[in-house]
Amino acid sequence: MSQDKHNFAKQNIADWEKAAAKSAPGGDLNKLNWVTPDGITVKPLYTAQDTASLPYTDTLPGFAPFLRGPQASMYAVRPWTIRQYAGFSTAEESNAFYRKALAAGGQGVSVAFDLATHRGYDSDHPRVTGDVGKAGVAIDSVEDMKILFDQIPLDKVSVSMTMNGAVLPVLAGYVVAAEEQGVSQDQLSGTIQNDILKEFMVRNTYIFPPEPSMRIVGDIIAYTAGHMPKFNSISISGYHMQEAGANQALELALTLADGQEYVRTAMKQGLDVDAFAPRLSFFWAIGMNFYLEIAKMRAARLLWCRIMQDVGAKNPKSLMLRTHCQTSGWSLTEQDPYNNIVRTTIEAMAAVFGGTQSLHTNSFDEAIALPTEFSSRIARNTQLIIQEETHITHVIDPWAGSYMMEKLTQDMADEAWKIIEEVNAMGGMTKAVGSGWAKLKIEAAAADKQARIDSGQDVIVGVNKYKLQTQDAVDVRDIDNVKVRDSQIERLHRIKASRDNAAVAKAVEALTQAAQDGSGNLLDLSIQAVRLRATVGEISDALEKVFGRHRADTQKISGVYAAAYDAGENEGDTMEYWNALKADIAAFAQKQGRRPRVMISKLGQDGHDRGAKVVATAFADLGYDVDIGPLFQTPEECARQAIENDVHAVGVSTLAAGHKTLVPAIIAELKKQGADDIIVFVGGVIPRQDYDFLYQAGVKGIYGPGTPIPVSARDVLEQITKALV
């Protein structure tokens, strides 16, 4: 820049500062800055000075470090793949949904499995009575998988499968279903998530402990590298971290650190990094933090290139980060739900501007129940309209050169890299996950976010501002869990009656032996067992004999939720309400000789515990004594623990639609065990048409998405007080 031009720019900035200071609170320009939850300062104005020293602003798409996109032409030649993440009830119903979606413009299949399948249980297992077919499709054997993909040509349609715990039998079932469709393994394209480290942090659909789980990851990478060259062996997922509460920098850092750990694991098995790294893919959540989501995706490519160069990768395809994205499910609201269409559109735009390779857009009703065909069509058409009507696809990385975006990208990369270095100092992500450090970081971020919403610092339109007086009813999809489970059990019985059981037993024993002595490839052996009609549960049980079934420690954070109130940033009603509630809880303790005691529980196989952990934290900060039940309890186990801990109330957190089966069961168990004085309340994703059913079953309080936690805490206190009279 010439001296005259430099002086001119300097004078312009000085003039702007004077003008802006007139409207800034107290004349302080710093008050115009926004400090994000990631700790990044976003200024109201960026200039050339902010990007002058940045190293990668003049790079091109398709070339390292891939800041501007992994392909040279990006969407100008081929737009992103439109995926529809779906699965519910039986394989027959899900298959019909997929075929309609493909006919209506969908370009790939993305499978959601039910929680029984995720956790490696067949549908006839007693621990999954409320979970079969509810939050995804039930898969027990290759026969289900064949129905799932009936009339869907697997040599032409790519398939993405969100599966981590029971990844071996599910991937094996897909391979064998394709074989019996006449499609060879080398023709298959798509992705298996196979990201187990993330499960231990947030989603909790694990089966085995971390170390044997990492062996499974390595075996899948090795097998697919040799037999399935067009198939992505792992989708390293940040999505569920953000859904569980992580901010963008934390999601970015922990996801890349997971990827780094998987690469190291595969290399320890003797694999050449360039033999498998080109088939690694990533999966990001895209929330309502528009600018930071775009910056996150650009920074992700920059950092992944650095990580792969550090491990010695040479192939350019090993250095480029390719990703799928999904709009946020957590940002969807039960209140005024048609607002969710706007939220999803904004999030989809951020994913596209960030350079995603495929995208799923959530349906507006997913804060209430599984999406209907009507809501799914709107979600799919959102992407079609962006692709076909806006002309956005004609320009590669349209934010390139933006002073703000280039600086935010570097700031995001710097923040994430600090966290990655912290993880590496611990010995890598397996150690960081095993210590509980990573999980607690995410839970602290979740508690802080919820407190900011409940206290009104963060606005959610229709929830804590611009609220409707009455809510219109929305038609939702309802799954008859009993009917689905009965049909799955019937098919299981037919399979076991018609197969060669001796051959199955031999194949399953081979898996146990390989797990014991470290020999063989576990995916290869699983494929052999599935060909013989071994079930998901039988293969999982065979490995569990050696590996065991992982049980997580239950921890809770304290003080984070209260900090948003105690920091003095809240004025008026919210602060008064908070202080009055704390005083009433203290008065209860004074009168009763002990504090009100609640147990927060998760029943069935639903491992989504963000809500449970945030509620437990907030209740404890208010003055409750809080116990947290372990994940995956049966109603009988939950009732027993509640009685042993002498609690006043049990709070059931539900996200996976099992409430109509499991909540009445816990009430019945408390009565059966002589403790019907313990009240039961429920929070989470519950359609309003189910409220009367739950109240008639004996529930004392129902708190849907968007309910401020202090409001639910006061209601629980009042219900406990009534029960003691």
Side-chain angles (χ1 to χ4, degrees):
M1 182 185 296
S2 69
Q3 189 61 42
D4 287 346
K5 192 173 183 181
H6 176 78
N7 290 336
F8 178 74
K10 195 172 180 181
Q11 183 59 51
N12 276 353
I13 293 170
D15 291 343
W16 174 84
E17 288 176 345
K18 289 178 183 177
K22 292 178 181 178
S23 57
D28 185 356
L29 284 176
N30 288 326
K31 295 287 181 66
L32 297 179
N33 293 338
W34 169 46
V35 180
T36 74
D38 318 66
I40 295 171
T41 298
V42 180
K43 302 190 300 181
L45 178 70
Y46 288 82
T47 69
Q49 292 180 16
D50 292 294
T51 60
S53 62
L54 299 184
Y56 301 114
T57 54
D58 59 350
T59 60
L60 295 172
F63 294 89
F66 306 102
L67 178 71
R68 299 187 59 189
Q71 285 94 30
S73 56
M74 289 299 289
Y75 309 144
V77 171
R78 181 186 175 191
W80 66 93
T81 300
I82 298 173
R83 292 196 180 276
Q84 199 80 20
Y85 179 58
F88 49 86
S89 185
T90 61
E92 289 90 345
E93 288 198 45
S94 294
N95 171 261
F97 181 93
Y98 297 150
R99 286 162 57 192
K100 285 181 183 177
L102 290 169
Q107 297 157 352
V109 171
S110 190
V111 183
F113 298 95
D114 74 354
L115 290 168
T117 306
H118 273 291
R119 295 270 292 144
Y121 293 115
D122 287 336
S123 296
D124 58 356
H125 198 285
R127 298 194 75 88
V128 299
T129 54
D131 298 301
V132 176
K134 291 297 284 186
V137 60
I139 298 293
D140 292 315
S141 75
V142 69
E143 293 300 325
D144 293 324
M145 199 69 86
K146 287 171 67 177
I147 295 167
L148 187 67
F149 296 119
D150 182 43
Q151 299 182 60
I152 297 174
L154 294 179
D155 57 339
K156 296 181 176 64
V157 176
S158 69
V159 175
S160 173
M161 292 177 284
T162 301
M163 176 53 64
N164 304 281
V167 63
L168 289 170
V170 165
L171 182 53
Y174 165 71
V175 167
V176 176
E179 288 176 352
E180 297 186 11
Q181 198 185 86
V183 179
S184 62
Q185 295 181 26
D186 62 353
Q187 294 176 285
L188 295 173
S189 63
T191 305
I192 187 77
Q193 194 162 95
N194 193 28
D195 177 10
I196 200 63
L197 287 174
K198 167 260 303 174
E199 298 297 323
F200 295 112
M201 283 185 274
V202 289
R203 192 160 169 261
N204 300 310
T205 56
Y206 45 70
I207 301 175
F208 314 114
E211 287 193 14
S213 294
M214 289 297 287
R215 177 189 167 185
I216 291 170
V217 170
D219 279 5
I220 290 171
I221 292 172
Y223 185 91
T224 53
H227 298 84
M228 302 164 68
K230 296 197 292 182
F231 196 82
N232 298 326
S233 58
I234 191 167
S235 174
I236 305 153
S237 173
Y239 182 87
H240 303 96
M241 295 181 198
Q242 188 178 135
E243 289 290 282
N247 56 45
Q248 281 74 23
L250 191 58
E251 176 198 4
L252 173 58
L254 296 183
T255 305
L256 294 183
D258 277 351
Q260 188 177 48
E261 191 86 337
Y262 294 133
V263 168
R264 289 168 177 164
T265 297
M267 292 176 72
K268 284 177 184 175
Q269 291 199 2
L271 291 175
D272 174 58
V273 64
D274 287 320
F276 67 85
R279 299 315 307 177
L280 302 179
S281 68
F282 286 78
F283 176 24
W284 303 118
I286 305 296
M288 287 297 289
N289 201 330
F290 185 77
Y291 296 136
L292 260 64
E293 292 292 7
I294 300 169
K296 177 187 76 182
M297 295 176 69
R298 299 174 90 246
R301 291 189 290 269
L302 184 70
L303 294 182
W304 185 245
C305 183
R306 181 193 303 182
I307 287 168
M308 295 307 289
Q309 286 172 334
D310 287 347
V311 299
K314 299 290 191 295
N315 185 343
K317 290 184 177 180
S318 300
L319 306 178
M320 67 172 64
L321 183 150
R322 297 166 304 111
T323 191
H324 170 70
C325 289
Q326 180 173 338
T327 59
S328 174
W330 184 84
S331 71
L332 305 179
T333 64
E334 178 188 38
Q335 296 87 345
D336 208 356
Y338 292 103
N339 289 344
N340 295 333
I341 298 172
V342 181
R343 293 186 178 101
T344 294
T345 303
I346 292 167
E347 291 166 352
M349 295 278 282
V352 170
F353 284 139
T356 191
Q357 279 59 71
S358 65
L359 177 62
H360 165 84
T361 33
N362 285 336
S363 302
F364 73 84
D365 51 359
E366 289 186 54
I368 307 167
L370 288 168
T372 62
E373 288 190 21
F374 169 72
S375 64
S376 296
R377 180 172 60 83
I378 294 173
R380 183 172 57 252
N381 286 351
T382 299
Q383 293 195 57
L384 290 171
I385 289 166
I386 295 172
Q387 278 193 2
E388 303 286 350
E389 296 188 24
T390 65
H391 304 288
I392 285 172
T393 59
H394 294 163
V395 177
I396 302 166
D397 191 20
W399 287 87
S402 158
Y403 299 140
M404 175 208 66
M405 187 53 65
E406 298 294 4
K407 182 63 166 65
L408 278 187
T409 298
Q410 189 62 50
D411 288 346
M412 180 65 68
D414 291 344
E415 286 298 317
W417 194 252
K418 290 176 190 174
I419 300 170
I420 291 171
E421 289 182 320
E422 192 174 353
V423 170
N424 287 334
M426 295 180 201
M429 274 303 287
T430 302
K431 296 277 178 61
V433 167
S435 69
W437 173 87
K439 188 174 183 67
L440 289 175
K441 290 277 284 187
I442 294 171
E443 289 175 3
D448 176 68
K449 177 64 176 178
Q450 189 62 51
R452 292 180 67 83
I453 293 170
D454 289 347
S455 63
Q457 294 176 61
D458 287 357
V459 172
I460 308 293
V461 173
V463 174
N464 62 3
K465 198 172 184 180
Y466 313 114
K467 294 186 285 188
L468 293 177
Q469 292 299 313
T470 59
Q471 298 289 335
D472 294 332
V474 175
D475 291 334
V476 298
R477 186 188 296 275
D478 187 38
I479 303 297
D480 186 339
N481 164 245
V482 175
K483 182 179 177 181
V484 175
R485 188 165 184 263
D486 287 346
S487 70
Q488 289 299 118
I489 291 172
E490 183 183 348
R491 186 175 294 149
L492 272 169
H493 289 165
R494 289 200 307 269
I495 291 166
K496 291 180 179 180
S498 62
R499 69 188 185 181
D500 183 341
N501 284 300
V504 170
K506 187 176 180 181
V508 167
E509 174 57 33
L511 273 163
T512 301
Q513 187 61 43
Q516 181 73 56
D517 60 25
S519 65
N521 182 287
L522 294 176
L523 177 56
D524 185 25
L525 292 167
S526 296
I527 291 171
Q528 295 177 42
V530 166
R531 287 186 183 122
L532 296 167
R533 273 35 188 184
T535 69
V536 168
E538 288 169 333
I539 289 172
S540 300
D541 288 347
L543 298 171
E544 187 181 341
K545 289 178 183 177
V546 179
F547 296 155
R549 188 171 276 267
H550 180 68
R551 286 172 174 78
D553 292 332
T554 301
Q555 298 174 288
K556 67 174 181 285
I557 56 174
S558 62
V560 174
Y561 186 92
Y565 288 87
D566 296 341
E569 296 177 25
N570 303 282
E571 302 295 338
D573 294 344
T574 58
M575 194 67 183
E576 289 179 14
Y577 192 95
W578 174 263
N579 289 331
L581 179 54
K582 288 180 72 175
D584 288 346
I585 291 169
F588 176 98
Q590 182 71 27
K591 182 177 180 180
Q592 298 295 331
R594 66 173 182 137
R595 298 193 291 180
R597 191 179 191 98
V598 300
M599 174 178 162
I600 306 298
S601 63
K602 297 286 296 183
L603 300 178
Q605 301 304 307
D606 176 12
H608 296 85
D609 62 351
R610 173 181 182 158
K613 290 295 185 67
V614 170
V615 168
T617 295
F619 272 50
D621 286 353
L622 280 163
Y624 277 85
D625 278 333
V626 179
D627 301 311
I628 303 178
L631 289 171
F632 315 123
Q633 280 191 313
T634 64
E636 296 85 352
E637 292 164 346
C638 180
R640 192 180 313 121
Q641 183 179 350
I643 293 167
E644 290 171 354
N645 291 8
D646 192 22
V647 303
H648 294 104
V650 171
V652 178
S653 173
T654 179
L655 186 75
H659 52 272
K660 290 177 74 173
T661 302
L662 296 168
V663 173
I666 179 64
I667 293 171
E669 275 299 319
L670 287 168
K671 185 175 182 179
K672 179 180 174 182
Q673 296 183 37
D676 52 354
D677 58 325
I678 296 176
I679 69 168
V680 174
F681 61 95
V682 187
V685 178
I686 307 164
R688 288 195 173 269
Q689 62 260 38
D690 292 349
Y691 279 25
D692 286 343
F693 172 86
L694 293 174
Y695 282 130
Q696 289 171 16
V699 170
K700 297 301 182 184
I702 302 173
Y703 314 113
T707 303
I709 294 178
V711 172
S712 63
R714 175 167 289 287
D715 190 53
V716 170
L717 181 67
E718 291 172 356
Q719 295 291 342
I720 291 172
T721 303
K722 284 180 188 177
L724 291 173
V725 173

